[in-house]
Amino acid sequence: MFQSSKSPRIFAIANQKGGVGKTTTSINLATALAAVGKRVLLIDMDAQGNASTGLGIRRSERESSSYDLLFGEKTVSECATTTKVPRLSIVPSSMHLSGAELELVSVENREFRMKSALSDIGGSYDYVVVDCPPALNLTTLNVLVAADAVIVPLQCEFYALEGLAHLSKTIERVKNTFNPKLDIHGVVLTMYDTRNRLSGMVATDVRSYFGSKVYDTVIPRNVRVSEAPSYGLPAIVYDMRCTGSQAYIQLAKEVIKREKQILRVEKVAA
């Protein structure tokens, strides 16, 4: 594999609430980034393994997993496997992750296990996208310590802002204590239903609270996106023309645009 000296940008896809489109966003954002020529690694850190299944990786095929990576038993290159999507690889999940929380309690430098695991990744990838579990536990903390930025999928529902405020405080604590470079890259509104007045109200509230941190792209409710995982395919591969797929393609473009803006700011600061 081609390597450069540049380290990849690491995105944590996180929200402590389940059912917000976190895994769907992880899969399709990673696929869209790969589709525009970026070399992408998706790491499935959720014990349910939905990101792995959604990319067609059967449990019987998961000889190495993110559990092995987290506990230093194997390297990224040993755990990563290719997918049906060109330039997209995945470190699949394992059921062993369900017990990782208890195991990490007694491990030395427990908050830095993932950071250490990704330290030798080199320039094999442009982006690493990590699908976090739906909880703010030690596994998620490990990802936040290793990440450059957090992308937060947010379902357009009544309690959205309450959960986002909690996550924001957690990210700020991690930034102050373990990872000073960590920041919220953006908030992506998911499962937006134009027929539902509540979706518009929530979107307005989130934008008024977080301003420019909220991506312009909104992910709509879409049947084709929901169907895709049962075929072991990202929605973008399953049906690229559907509204959900097109939205994720636009999201990837917006992410890359923000990356360029961040790079310009860093160059000026240097």
Side-chain angles (χ1 to χ4, degrees):
M1 179 181 288
F2 167 78
Q3 290 195 350
S4 69
S5 59
K6 183 181 177 183
S7 298
R9 287 277 289 173
I10 302 172
F11 293 139
I13 312 297
N15 192 321
Q16 74 272 22
K17 192 176 184 304
V20 298
K22 179 177 56 58
T23 297
T24 301
T25 297
S26 298
I27 292 173
N28 287 289
L29 175 59
T31 300
L33 289 170
V36 296
K38 304 299 181 181
R39 296 161 299 143
V40 186
L41 176 66
L42 175 59
I43 302 178
D44 188 353
M45 290 300 296
D46 190 343
Q48 298 176 80
N50 291 335
S52 305
T53 304
L55 280 173
I57 310 298
R58 298 186 181 91
R59 292 195 180 277
S60 59
E61 299 172 338
R62 303 176 198 178
E63 296 180 5
S64 301
S65 70
S66 54
Y67 175 88
D68 301 314
L69 188 64
L70 181 64
F71 285 92
E73 297 177 9
K74 293 187 178 181
T75 64
V76 171
S77 60
E78 290 172 323
C79 294
T81 183
T82 57
T83 70
K84 299 171 186 176
V85 179
R87 293 178 295 278
L88 174 60
S89 298
I90 184 172
V91 175
S93 174
S94 164
M95 287 302 295
H96 293 302
L97 277 174
S98 58
E101 184 73 8
L102 290 175
E103 294 179 58
L104 282 169
V105 170
S106 58
V107 173
E108 187 177 357
N109 294 322
R110 62 187 184 185
E111 299 91 354
F112 296 90
R113 303 300 300 179
M114 182 56 67
K115 183 175 182 179
S116 176
L118 297 179
S119 63
D120 64 347
I121 198 170
S124 299
Y125 303 98
D126 299 303
Y127 293 106
V128 175
V129 176
V130 188
D131 185 26
C132 295
L136 295 178
N137 54 22
L138 275 173
T139 304
T140 301
L141 176 59
N142 259 271
V143 178
L144 295 179
V145 171
D148 294 296
V150 186
I151 294 175
V152 185
L154 191 72
Q155 184 179 0
C156 294
E157 62 166 21
F158 185 71
Y159 293 111
L161 270 176
E162 183 178 321
L164 184 54
H166 185 198
L167 178 60
S168 297
K169 289 178 182 177
T170 299
I171 292 170
E172 193 62 29
R173 291 192 192 103
V174 174
K175 182 174 183 175
N176 292 335
T177 309
F178 300 111
N179 183 5
K181 68 182 178 181
L182 187 67
D183 198 6
I184 294 179
H185 192 276
V187 177
V188 54
L189 296 168
T190 64
M191 303 182 192
Y192 189 92
D193 189 345
T194 55
R195 301 167 300 176
N196 186 340
R197 185 181 171 192
L198 180 61
S199 288
M201 293 171 62
V202 170
T204 300
D205 286 347
V206 173
R207 291 188 188 282
S208 64
Y209 189 81
F210 280 92
S212 61
K213 283 291 183 182
V214 184
Y215 296 110
D216 293 332
T217 304
V218 174
I219 311 300
R221 283 193 179 276
N222 186 252
V223 173
R224 302 295 277 175
V225 170
S226 301
E227 290 175 351
S230 64
Y231 292 89
L233 294 171
I236 292 171
V237 176
Y238 178 65
D239 184 355
M240 190 180 72
R241 295 183 180 181
C242 74
T243 56
S245 294
Q246 288 299 308
Y248 277 115
I249 291 170
Q250 289 303 314
L251 176 63
K253 291 178 179 178
E254 197 170 348
V255 167
I256 292 172
K257 182 179 178 181
R258 289 197 184 189
E259 284 293 288
K260 290 178 180 178
Q261 292 171 343
I262 291 169
L263 184 60
R264 281 198 294 268
V265 171
E266 289 177 348
K267 284 183 177 179
V268 171

